[in-house]
Structures are given as C-alpha cells and as structure tokens.
Amino acid sequence: MNNKKYVYAFGGKTAEGKADMKNLLGGKGANLAEMCLLGLPVPAGLTITTECCTDYYDNQCKLPSSLMDEVWAAMKKVETAMGMKYGDSKNPLLMSCRSGARSSMPGMMDTVLNIGLCSETIDGLIKKTNNPRFVYDSYRRLIMMYADVVMEKSEGIEPKDGKGIRKVLDDMLDEYKKQKGYKSDTDLSADDLKLLSEQFKKTIKKVLGSEFPDNAVQQLEGGIKAVFKSWNGKKAISYRRIEGIPDDWGTAVNVQAMVFGNMGDDSATGVAFTRNPATGENVFYGEWLVNAQGEDVVAGIRTPNPLNDDTKNEQNKNLPSLAEIMPKIYKELCDIRNTLEKNYKDMLDIEFTIQEKKLYMLQCRVGKRTGVAAVTMALDMLKEKMIDEKEVIMRVSGEQLEEFLHPILDAANEKSHKVIAKGLPAGPGGTVGVLTLSNEGAMELAKKNIDCILVREETNPEDVEGMRAASGILTARGGMTSHAALVARGWGKCCIVGCDALHIGDKTITIDGKTYNEGDTFSLNGTKGLVYATAVKTMKASESTLYNDFMRLVEKYRTMGVRTNADTPADAQQALDFGAEGIGLFRIEHMFYGENSEEPLRILRNMILSKDNVEARRRYLDALKPHIMNSVRATMEVMDGRPVTFRLIDPPLHEFMPKKEEDIQAAAVQLGITVEDVKKRADEIEEVNPMMGLRGVRLGILYPEITEIQYEALFEATARLINSGKKPHLEIMIPLTITVKELKHQKAICDIIHAQVEKEFNVKIPYTYGTMIEVPRATIVADEIASVADFFSFGTNDLTQMTFGFSRDDVNAIINEYKSTNILKHDPFQTIDVEGVGKLVEMGVIKGRKQKRKLKIGVCGEHGGDPESVKFFYKTGMNYVSCSPFRVPIARLAAAQAAIESDRKE
Amino acid sequence: MNNKKYVYAFGGKTAEGKADMKNLLGGKGANLAEMCLLGLPVPAGLTITTECCTDYYDNQCKLPSSLMDEVWAAMKKVETAMGMKYGDSKNPLLMSCRSGARSSMPGMMDTVLNIGLCSETIDGLIKKTNNPRFVYDSYRRLIMMYADVVMEKSEGIEPKDGKGIRKVLDDMLDEYKKQKGYKSDTDLSADDLKLLSEQFKKTIKKVLGSEFPDNAVQQLEGGIKAVFKSWNGKKAISYRRIEGIPDDWGTAVNVQAMVFGNMGDDSATGVAFTRNPATGENVFYGEWLVNAQGEDVVAGIRTPNPLNDDTKNEQNKNLPSLAEIMPKIYKELCDIRNTLEKNYKDMLDIEFTIQEKKLYMLQCRVGKRTGVAAVTMALDMLKEKMIDEKEVIMRVSGEQLEEFLHPILDAANEKSHKVIAKGLPAGPGGTVGVLTLSNEGAMELAKKNIDCILVREETNPEDVEGMRAASGILTARGGMTSHAALVARGWGKCCIVGCDALHIGDKTITIDGKTYNEGDTFSLNGTKGLVYATAVKTMKASESTLYNDFMRLVEKYRTMGVRTNADTPADAQQALDFGAEGIGLFRIEHMFYGENSEEPLRILRNMILSKDNVEARRRYLDALKPHIMNSVRATMEVMDGRPVTFRLIDPPLHEFMPKKEEDIQAAAVQLGITVEDVKKRADEIEEVNPMMGLRGVRLGILYPEITEIQYEALFEATARLINSGKKPHLEIMIPLTITVKELKHQKAICDIIHAQVEKEFNVKIPYTYGTMIEVPRATIVADEIASVADFFSFGTNDLTQMTFGFSRDDVNAIINEYKSTNILKHDPFQTIDVEGVGKLVEMGVIKGRKQKRKLKIGVCGEHGGDPESVKFFYKTGMNYVSCSPFRVPIARLAAAQAAIESDRKE
C-alpha cells in the first residue's frame, strides 16, 4: 500500500531513532531512542510515528494496514532485548502504551498499562514473580483502565446506564472494600483481587455489552488505537488551543516493556531535574518513592522522599534520600545525569524506576524552568563551556525574561490557593489588593497606600486615573487589545480582562454564585489570567546582576533598533531604563487622558464643540498650544539626543466628547450654549464605524488648524530646547495616510510653520517627516508615499483591523471561537498574521525602499513587543520596532534572537 | 534654455498642428489647425501649447523665456496670411486670446478680445474701416476686459475700494448713459465712446494704481498670461473637479486674428451643429444673428434667426433664415459641413462669423448630444458607411444610454424652472410628485395613484416600503452609497441624497429660508441632483427600435458576462428584460426588508433575541425556513435555467433589532421577557464598528444553525423546482471570508445538509460553492481560498471600505473634501480605485486562477454598474460583472466597449 516506515524499535543499547527525530517520533520516543544510543538502561520498546497518527485520522480512524505487521516485527526485538516473550504462558512480557507528541502535553492523552495480562499469561507471571497479589493487582488495574480508555472512550461503546464504566468499576471496588471492612487498597489480598477481576469482567460485559479481551494480541492493538484516539480527546484539543500546537502534528505511540517500581522495598520510582528548575542552581534535584509506580509521585498522595541533600526542604527533610538509602543506584543516576547533560547540553527532566535494585530510565526531556532559572543555567553553561553566547540568548524566552520586570505571585504559594475565575492575561505579573469598583475608590485607597484591584465591566479613557492608582485591574469584558489591556500593558501593570465569570453589581461582585464586597482581598496572576479570592504571596525578581549580565550579551548580538511607545516623561524614563533607544510613538492625544489632563481636555472639547465657528476653534487651539508644547518638551528633554516620533492627533473626535452630565453642563456654560446643544453636537460627530471615519490625517485635512497648532507646538518646543543647549531629535508622523497627496497637503502646512518658527526663534530646527503605514491602501502605494516620507512606521494594529475586517473592540468572541475551531492559529492582534497582514507589510517595505533605498522603517503597533512578530519584522528588514516600556527588554531579546537565527540559516 | 516648441502657427490653408494634437494644442487649437489643413476659411493665428501652461505653473507663474520670441515669429506668418500688421499705424491687425483645454471647459476661463488697439493703431483702423464708432466701441470693450481679466485678475492688482474694476467701469457706463438719457449701448456715438475710453483709463489708474498699457506688444503678452492664469481660477478648478479633468493637463492659448460679425448688415455670426443634437436627425441645425458678435448668440438677449427651414421652430419661425438671406454663404457653409463630417466622421458643433460677406470659421469640435441623438447618429453613420459597428458602440456613453431607461425631466422645459437646491444624483431619471415626509404618507398616496416624493433626513431599512411607494426620494444626508442611494439605484428610482440645504421639520420642510408643506409639488432631476419646487414636464425615452437595434450591436461585441443583483422575482424579471444573464448577488437578508417582510422579520428578531438559548433559536429558525425557501424559489423560478448566486446572511445582527417602541413591546410579549430585557439584549449586540464585527461568515461559524437553515432552504427550494421540471442553477456564496478554513468549516455543514436533502427529495441537486472576496486578507490568500471555492465574487464595496479605511456611512464629507482638494480623483465607491483596491483585485484574480485555472470570477459591488470600473474588471479577466437591474444595459455596453478597446490595443 505505502512504503512509510511507521515503527522504530529501541532497546538493548541500540535504537532505530534518535533525539533529533522528534517530529516523527514525538519527544518521548526520540529521547528514549537517544538514551538507548547513549547506553543507558531503558526498557526496550517501539515507537509508532506521528505520521501514522495523521494517516489514522485521514483514514477515518483506521490504522494503516501495514502497521501491525511492523509492530509485531519490532516486538520480536523487544522480546530479545528483555529476554521475555509477549503473551507467553511461562515468561510473559507486559507492555505499556503511552502517547508522545512533538511538544509535551502532560496528562492530556490516554495511557494503558500492564497490557498482555490474560488467562494465558497470569499463571506464568505468578510463577515467575512468585507474587500473586502483584499479578492480580496489575490485572484488575489493566481491566479497569482498558474498559475505560480502550472500550468506552476509544471504541466508543456506550455504557447502558449512562454512567461511565470507570465510575461503575470504582464503585464496585469501594463497595467490596466496605463489605470487607478494608480501609485501603493495600488491604486487598490476591484472592480479593482475583475475585474482583472476575466480577469486573462480568460487569463490563453487562454494561458495555462487549467482552474484555482475554487476548494479548487484541489488547496491544486496542491500546495503540486508544492512544491515537485520545489525540482528539476534549482535554487534548483544548490544551493544544491554549499552547498553540497544531492539530495536524499528531502524536506518536510508545509501546514499551513494563518495569515495576512497586515490587517491594527494593523497588522505587522517581523524577528528577539535572539542575534546580526554580533557581537554576547547578545541583541534582529530584524526588522518589519506594515501592511505588510513577503516577504515585505525580499524584501527591504520599510525600515523596528527597533525591539527595540538595533536594531537602521543610516538608521532606526527615525522609531518607535516595543517596542515603541506595547509594549505588544514586551514583549510577548521577553518572546518567552527567552523560545526559553532556549529550543534550541542557537541563533535563528525567523519570526513572528501580525494579528489584535495577535502575531503568523511562523518560528524559529538556526541563521546564522559571525565567530566573533559564537565565542562570544559560549563563552557567556558558561558563562551563557547554554552550556559546548565541545559544545563551536563544535559551531564554520573552516570557521568561518578563519575570524579571514585574512583581509576581510566588508560584509555590500560589499552588495552595484556589483559582476562582480565569480571564485573559492582559497585563503581566502578579498583585494582591483589596477590591474596589470605582475610580474614586482606587484613588482614595492609593492615597492611603493601600494596594487595590480595580474591577470594571470594561474601561475607557475616563477610567485612566483609577487604573493608574490601582495595583491591578480586572475586567469582565474586552480582549487582549481592549482599552484596559493596552493601557495596563503600557504601564506594565497587572491586568486580567475578559473574565466572563465575573458579574458586577453595585458595590459587590459575584463569581460562580458567590458574592464578594469592596474591601475583600483578591490576588491576580496577570501572566496566566488567574483570579484568587485570597491573598497569595508575591515576590520580586529584582534588577539583578543576572539580568544585567544576560542583557549585556543580548546587546552584543542585537542589530535591529528597539524604541518605545511613550507619551510622558515617566514612561520615557522607564523605557530608557529598560534600554529603549528612542520613542517610536508619542501619541499627542494621550495628553488628554490621565493625570493633569482636565484643563487641556476641556479646551479640546470646547474646540471640537465650536463646530463651524473657525474663529472660536482657532481661539481654543491657541489656548491648547502651551499644553501640547509643555507635554512635548518634557518628554523630549528626558530623551535628549534620542529620536522621538510624534504622531499627530489620531482618534475620532467623539472620543473626547463629555459623557458625564457634569462635564456636559460645564461645556455648555463655557460655550454659552444649551446642554441640549452640547449633546446634539456631540451626537453629530458620532459615527457608525468610527475606526474608519473622521480620524488621523483626515482630521488635519478637514481642519488644517488642528494640524497647524500641533506643528507650532512641536517646532516651538524643539526650538526652545535647542536654545537651551539640548539636542532634541524631532520626528513628525502623520497617521492613517492612504495616498501621498495627503502627506503633501500636510507637508505644505508644515513647511510654512517650520519657516515661521525658525524665524521667530532664530534657530535651525532639524526634523524628519514621516507617516504611519496602517491602512491596506498605504502598503500598496508605499512607493509613492516614500517619495515624500522620510520614514515609515507600520501601525500593525490598525493594519490588522482593516486587513481582517476585525474591529478589535468587537471581535473578541469571534477570535476566541476561531482559535478554538482552529480557523486561526493566533490572535492576530497578539502575533502578526504573517500570511496576510505580513504580506502587506512586506509589500510596503519593498515598495518604500524601491523608491528610497535608505528609507527608515519601523513598527509601532502592539506587535512590536511580541517576540514572534519582532522576528518577522527583522526578516522584512525593518530598522526598528517600538513597543510599550515594559516590553522593551523582550523586544531587545527577540531582536537579538532574530539576528542569531538568521545568521544560523545563512 | 530648453528645446520645447511652444508655438504652432495656423492660417492660409496651412498649419503646423492638426486634429490629433489635442493634448498639446487643446481641442480648439487642434481643430483650428485641422480646418486650415482642410482648406477652410479660418482667421490666421497661433496656438501656445498646454505644455507651456504646465511649465508656466511649474515656474512660479512665469512664461518660459523663449516663448515670446516664438510668438512674434509666428505673428509674422499671421500677418502675412491676413495681409495686415500687428501694432501697425496704417493697417493694424487685432488679435484675440482664448483658452483651449484638451477637454472643453466652456466659459470657465478668460478671454481677451481686440488686443492691439492703442493710440498707435486707432487712427489707422478708423481710416481702414471708415467706422469710428466700431473702432471706439472695440476700444472701450478692450479696456474694460483688459482691466478686469489681465490687470486685476491675472496680474493681481487689488482695486482700492474693494469693488472689482469691472463693476466700477460698468457703473460708469450706466451712469453715462443715464446722464445722456440713452437706453441702449447702441445709442452711444463714436464720440461718447471715445470720451468714455479716456475716462475709463483714468479711473483704472486711480483704482488699480496702474496704467492701462497703451502698447500692442505689452497687451499681447498680458493677454497670454491672463489665459494661463485663468486655468487656476476658482470657476475653472471647480469645473475640473466636477468633470474629473486633471489639473496638470493645462490649457493652450489661441491667439487669433479678430474678425467681426458686427460690421453692419452684411456681417453676422452663428453657431451650428452638423446634425440635430437633440434628436440626432441628419439635418444641418443652427442659429445666427446679423450684425452681431459671437457672445450675442450665446447670451440669448436677441432671439437668433434659424439657419434654415429645418431649424425653424415656434419661437423663430417668422425670422428669416441664413439660407434665405445669404444663400451663397449658406451654400458655402453646407459644403463646409460636408467636408467636416467627412473628415471627422462625427457630428460637429461649429462657430462661424461673416465679416462683410466673407465667411470665417472660428471653431469646430465634436458636438454634445442627448442619448437618443447619440444612438440615432451612430446608427445612421453606420448606414452611411461613415463608421463601423465597433465605432457605433464606442460612440454612446453609459450616461447617454441611461436616458433610455428612466422617465426624465424634459430638458427644454427644465430650463425655465428655478433650481431651489442641489444634492447628490443618487438615483437616475426625473420625477414630479407631491411632498410627503412619512412612509405611511407615501403608501397612502401610492394607493390613490398620486405620484409623491418621500423626503427624509436619511433612510434605513424600515423606510423601504415608503421608498418603494414613492416615485422619488429626497434626503438631507447620506452619500452616493448611503442606504437611500443603494436602494433607489437598485430599483432605478429617481433619488437625490445629501441635499444639505434641506431642513426637515414636523410636517414641513425649509429650503433657503422658504417653507414647503406636505402636498406641495416638487420635481427632481435625479441624473443631475437638481431640486425644483415646481412641476417640470417629464418625458419618456421608451423602449424604442432604436434602443433595441443598438443593444443588438452591443451584444455582438460583448464577451464578459453581465448579471444582476436582485432579491425579488420582480427585480429579477426587470433585470432579465434589461438583458441580465443571471443573478450575481441574491442577498438573503433582503427578504427581511420591504414588502411582506413583517412576519419573517419578527421571527428573525425573536431568533436573535433568544440569545444563548440554542433550542429557542433553532425553533425560530425552523419557523423561518419556509419563508426563506419561498423567497428563494420564487426568484429562481423567474431565472429558470440561469445561474443565481445566493449569498448567506451578511449584515450584523443588530440591523434587525426592533427600533420602534411597539416592535420592542411585541418582541417582549412573544419572547416572554420584559421590554427592558429586549432593549438590553439589543444593546448587547450593538458594536463599536459593526462593519468589522460579527457579520458575514462569522455569524455562520458562531451560530452554525443559522447557516444550516439557509442551506436547508436553498437545497429544498432547488429540489422542489427540479422535481417540478424546472432547471434551477444554484450557486451558494459565503460572505466576508478571510481564510480558507472558514470556507471549509461552512462547507462541512453544507455537505451534510446537501446529502440530507438529496435523500429526502430523492433527487440529485447540482450546485456550486463559492465566496465573496471583499476583505483585503482574502485577496492575499486567494490561492488557498480557491482550493475550496468554485467561484469568487469580488465585493468591491466592502473591499474599498477596508482598503481605504473608509466607512461609507461616515466618510461622505471626507471624500467630498478630498475630491475638492484633488487628493482623490474619484469617489472610490463610485469608480474603482485602480491603483489601490484594483491592485488587490488583480492579486486576487491572479492568485485564484493560479490555484484553479478555470476559476469563475465576477464582481457584485456597486462598481459592477460603473462603466469605467467595468472596463477595469474586463482587463483583469473577470467572467462577469453583476449590478442593479437598471444598470444592466450600461454594464453590457461598457463590457462591449472594453472588448473593442482591448481589441484595438492589440
């Protein structure tokens, strides 16, 4: 039929696979093979490829016809390596069937153990082990697992009473123990277990209408199918959605000889990390249990013993370590640790079992670690000459680096608290504070130095002061690019948005039917989107030497510039501290939000409400100018010598309209018109689709005086700075351009004002004039636009909105559904859509540079702080990315990684 | 400096230019040269090129340094040809300076006549003509014109009292006549005129502070500059905006020897058309005046005489014709008519002057004509073997053809009525009816068979019944693609939108301070956007043989298909009558608007308001199915055998929410919830930018049951038709696709329903499955999309919205401003933006066809009915365009013209 090789055998210090065959054999299978090749003691087995899984699904969930022949051929090798025979009545071999995807999906798929136990083999095994209780216990476990995983879930046999078979059998077991007066499973004797096994089989026949297969051959095939089937189980699918693992990767199946850590006190099982995964310290770190199986360690019923002295802590310090009890085996394990690290050049997470004093390696993989550990290990391994500088940089993810930038919840302590709700992880870090539902409340608490969490349905610009005062923000609605998320991320503030379970009342909130009051203490994990109604411990990964050593290396390899989006001196300073090289986006309109914005906002409002009265408008604009100038000057001063890109006012005017009754009344008084007139005028500038209405450069063309006043403020601020001995580096940026003619129109005004101010201040004012590229049309006519623009800055937020037809205010539910049905891989507002939006970006870059070879090009959308997107921008040849201050280090790291990756490819 | 030839001389049966040099010499100059080459009597002169105009503007309004030398060299030739000498004291030649752009801009630029009259030449001219009155009259005319056009307007000398110099001099003339007791200019004697001329010159010195140049050389240069300057006069610019003439075309200047039709009763002047421009009849048609100058004919102060018997009408039948009074000259003119038509192969508009029995040709150009005349002439000229079939088709514009499709205002009668307001010409044709401000009013009047005009602030789907009942629609707001405009154009109903001057009260409207009541009679010219408060006569250009003969030729050359956008059997039938070959867009949601939509709309509303209650939603959908099915079936039956593309429900759901209190109450009762709950649920589905929110295929993915019910209705309707012996041709179209995965998702549902219905009705149901391409991203990934889609239909409305970031509901004012500042050439919603949106369309076509060579591709946006856009779509290789029924003949014509044009280019 086809010539694909589906099965790779391993065992006896040899293997058909190896570590770099992860895509085909899954992580587990590839590493089992590698360990065999390294001569480590691995129970023999075989790996069925991920390709086979894909073929299985493409073929209406049927195994390829050639598969089982290959399996049985490989089983011969396994039998030889283990010196046992599968299904044999005298020396029977038992097998396990486990999943193993390319990327670890712990606990998400099904496993069947003890396969091969049946009437034919039970007696042989009893004779061989001389342990009937062990054999019957294994048998009843197989029956229970098989009925559930293979028969019910995989083969889809529906239980008659609607209750799952697993539950039925569990109940029987409990009932039996109750009748017998047993307290624990260990009280069950071999006879008890034998009897139960027979009863189980009868019940299965009754409930499922089908026999438990008393046949080793059939069992193995059923086990393999069950693992494949579980790739599309509900749990597995939703895990893949969250982790961004493609459905078509498929899982491999590892069929491996069983070894038992539960065959008495000379047996054991354990897990270990070759270095401390929490701190990165170079010590062997692990836990183990005597006379136990793997799942007992993970399940956490018994407190595991420490591996060695380095692993001892408050909980386990009185339990004997493996080093103490089985020093020979511990020594063997230490040698294995060294062999593995030398081979993989990384920290590994291993699983082992000791069966009657013999050590078996069951798993090894690159271990997960905290950010601090990642950086520590990478730098240590550099010193140990295990890896080079480039590899150090590649070893740390943006997410891991982020840990250094915010206070976080103490992970160990967090585990002991109950998550009461989940939302989107919009602002990173962790925080603990008392609930407040109003901006005023937040500000009052802040004055008293009480940390608080501001809870809102969603936020808007009027909430900015409350948001700043709060130590964390929690909203019921909104997506990753909602107002709350954008603002919080900009500030590096802990924030969870779109928390559906949250219902907000007057002074209380309700989650899952439970009511909480203002003043109650909550904790937020903004990195993961978890909400606690209790006080979790927090910790601070401070600005350590570690961080600085690492960033020094990053800087050595970074070539693309990193700027920040900042609109205040404080944000600018924060970004400088984080290594920003300039400001890529200063939004002039941001001076109308937040602190000290009352007066300028009032003037702006009156200007807008002056309608067709050009004189009045001009009067208000004149009054506005000093505010803009001061705001501009203060930030430029902080950035002295570094470029600052000022974007002219962009949003639709109605965003600035008064919403509160008192503000409306104030405006009416100031303008000398009625409250009704204010409302009417505000209504008149409402738009059906404001995102695609009167905003950006369009404002400046319909109301040139709005442009003029901004130019005046920018040039005057620059002139004053120059005259006071500073080195301001002014860049003026026009938003929402769709044709070069808009740019020319606004440039003509600019030229006039520029000449005026130069004359007035008697100083040369150098500046560059550029534009946002954020509307699809601009990317198409980028060549023409480049004839006038000195620089481009891609606004990939808006470009994504218009390229997808996705209003980011509205499509949260759509994007979630699209991700969960696999229509979209990522939220395109988080990670740039390379195939669609990316193509337009590339077109814009190519066309722009064709017109002007040295055109400076950057990006200032939210994507500028997303590592994957930054790498894409690097590839397109951008000069810089710009992102919120707290993303600057992450962007710097991503830029360095992009440079290294591209170097490696060449 | 440069080697450009700026001046082209003509006269004496020879010329340096010719007819096909229009771009360089302007229409007038090129045709003057051509007439010379044809041996016709043309006063000699020279043409300064349009290129010179462009250089003049590029050079800060300075004439190129080489120009005047060239002019004087050419003037030598003019003098030779005319046997006179410019500036000569004995035999002086007088010149005129007139503009002449590529495309006619009648009356929009300035002219200076009688140039060359000064102290030096006056006496010589008096001696030569023996007519001092004529000479002084010419002199005072020159002074008045020159002071105004050259000194004030062109040289920019500001009059001291703020009143224009022309007005000052006019007032002086009037005052003089008053003092003398004269009634008419003709009462002024030579002495009067001499005295006045001297007074004028003094006044000019006083008011403008500058002397009238008593110097022939200076006068000529001044005249040339003035014409160039007037290219950028206010009138000229706004005319160019309206006509879409580019600013950089520039105007030529024609400097031509003066001839005089006002030198006595053997002198005359006239205008004529080589055929009747109103009817197309092959008769010489014109008017003339004895002893008069050209402007007297145009000015309409005296009733002009008929050219011949064919030109006699009620007004002029008693005046002698030229044929009667000057038979010899009439004969000469008739010969010229034949020469010209033979040469130009078209109907010409000519101007002539007779000076002392000598005929001079002053102008000839292709004549404007009505639609009926255009078709008549083209078909006649085909019979006369003057032009071929292809040329016949090229001779008629879409606008001209449109005259055949609607009742129109009688142009002759329309002139005598006063335009009280202007708006955008949204729906073509003309109508007369009584005002009504409500839908109910319109419906009541319609019942009584009284034509009425529905006046609204703007319209929305709830107005559809009133709109249908009215014979015309007038709105104060909205653009060319507003709801009112789209609906009206779809129906071919007369409609004017965005009529700013209109203020709507309770039962009255106010325009320009004047109030009109319901019941008052108004007339609308929907083709031009003119509003009358009186009853203008209407006429009907019926479905004549003429029209049918012409369309038969069109069909012979058309290759691209033409379909219609239609959602009712009536529209479908109308479109079939107009030659549609199928339906390219049947919008399922349109069954919820308009007549008989109450019940289905109510069900749809309840479905939407059922929110998360899937069962309730499904129940309402089931109730909806028969409505959809009946609607689908009725239209398919009309289109039997022809393709019908059904687009699944597209708009955001809140469009269907009840707005009227009574509808809200009804919904509350039906759903068993409170009025507040209804409002709250309606609010919940409101979106910030609905155009980019939950609509199109997104609805079908979030609520698959909405898709299912539509598939069921479509397949069942088709099955029933097949079973009743019909040949339904079903095409299913998914709106708003951005990735092929959406299409696959919806196709999976389609496959299931298709199989179900085939089984249920025991019949094979053929169909094709395609998608709209209307979001920028779809054009970029069109290759992937084509792997699933059988066809593409470009939705260029939405594609334009998103490519520009233009919400068509909001950007009317922006587009107007952009057009008037020349930032945009066209409204991109009327004519496709070839450089931007067009590039995406091309990309989509190329990528789609690369994937599937024979992919069927069409367009179903409003652009499908715009001739220029249709030609673009032809070039991209589309299979068809689809447009509203009343645009079908225009699209057919444009398609034929596109085929012919592309043929000619090859």
Side-chain angles (χ1 to χ4, degrees), chain A residues 692 698 742 805 807 818 833, chain B residues 692 698 742 777 805 807 818:
Chain A
M692 306 197 292
R698 299 165 192 175
E742 292 170 318
S807 162
Y818 271 34
D833 160 49
Chain B
M692 306 197 291
R698 299 165 192 176
E742 292 170 318
R777 194 179 193 279
S807 160
Y818 272 33

Side-chain angles (χ1 to χ4, degrees), chain A residues 86-295:
Chain A
Y86 186 71
D88 191 62
S89 56
K90 300 216 178 74
N91 185 20
L93 176 64
L94 299 193
M95 303 300 288
S96 63
C97 270
R98 291 180 210 260
S99 63
R102 276 200 218 184
S103 175
S104 170
M105 292 170 60
M108 294 301 140
M109 286 180 282
D110 287 326
T111 294
V112 193
L113 302 176
N114 302 329
I115 296 176
L117 266 183
C118 53
S119 322
E120 188 82 14
T121 55
I122 283 182
D123 291 343
L125 195 61
I126 291 172
K127 220 173 274 172
K128 195 181 150 199
T129 59
N130 199 18
N131 190 342
R133 193 193 172 281
F134 158 73
V135 174
Y136 282 112
D137 190 43
S138 301
Y139 190 47
R140 69 98 189 165
R141 283 174 194 263
L142 169 66
I143 295 169
M144 290 175 91
M145 216 175 231
Y146 199 96
D148 172 31
V149 170
V150 183
M151 299 178 73
E152 182 176 321
K153 284 205 223 143
S154 163
E155 293 169 4
I157 305 174
E158 298 221 358
K160 288 211 177 103
D161 56 359
K163 194 158 79 170
I165 186 71
R166 177 86 206 194
K167 177 88 174 98
V168 174
L169 302 182
D170 278 342
D171 289 352
M172 280 176 70
L173 182 61
D174 289 345
E175 184 59 27
Y176 188 91
K177 286 194 292 186
K178 209 167 138 193
Q179 282 177 7
K180 292 276 186 173
Y182 295 160
K183 280 181 185 157
S184 146
D185 285 3
T186 49
D187 295 338
L188 292 159
S189 69
D191 286 340
D192 289 328
L193 291 162
K194 188 176 175 182
L195 184 65
L196 264 171
S197 299
E198 293 312 310
Q199 289 178 352
F200 280 175
K201 290 197 277 185
K202 280 190 197 123
T203 304
I204 289 168
K205 169 80 184 152
K206 209 172 73 194
V207 173
L208 298 181
S210 190
E211 298 266 8
F212 167 78
D214 190 24
N215 175 319
V217 172
Q218 199 181 333
Q219 282 177 11
L220 187 62
E221 188 168 339
I224 292 168
K225 282 185 189 166
V227 175
F228 280 153
K229 187 87 181 186
S230 70
W231 171 254
N232 268 358
K234 224 172 161 181
K235 270 194 303 181
I237 289 177
S238 78
Y239 183 86
R240 287 203 295 275
R241 294 295 172 275
I242 292 161
E243 298 291 317
I245 299 172
D247 286 345
D248 59 9
W249 277 8
T251 182
V253 181
N254 295 293
V255 181
Q256 194 176 18
M258 290 290 298
V259 290
F260 299 93
N262 58 344
M263 287 185 75
D265 288 347
D266 56 356
S267 296
T269 191
V271 297
F273 294 88
T274 59
R275 303 188 184 208
N276 186 323
T279 65
E281 212 185 339
N282 188 0
V283 296
F284 202 13
Y285 187 93
E287 298 174 328
W288 67 287
L289 279 172
V290 74
N291 195 14
Q293 282 193 305
E295 49 271 40

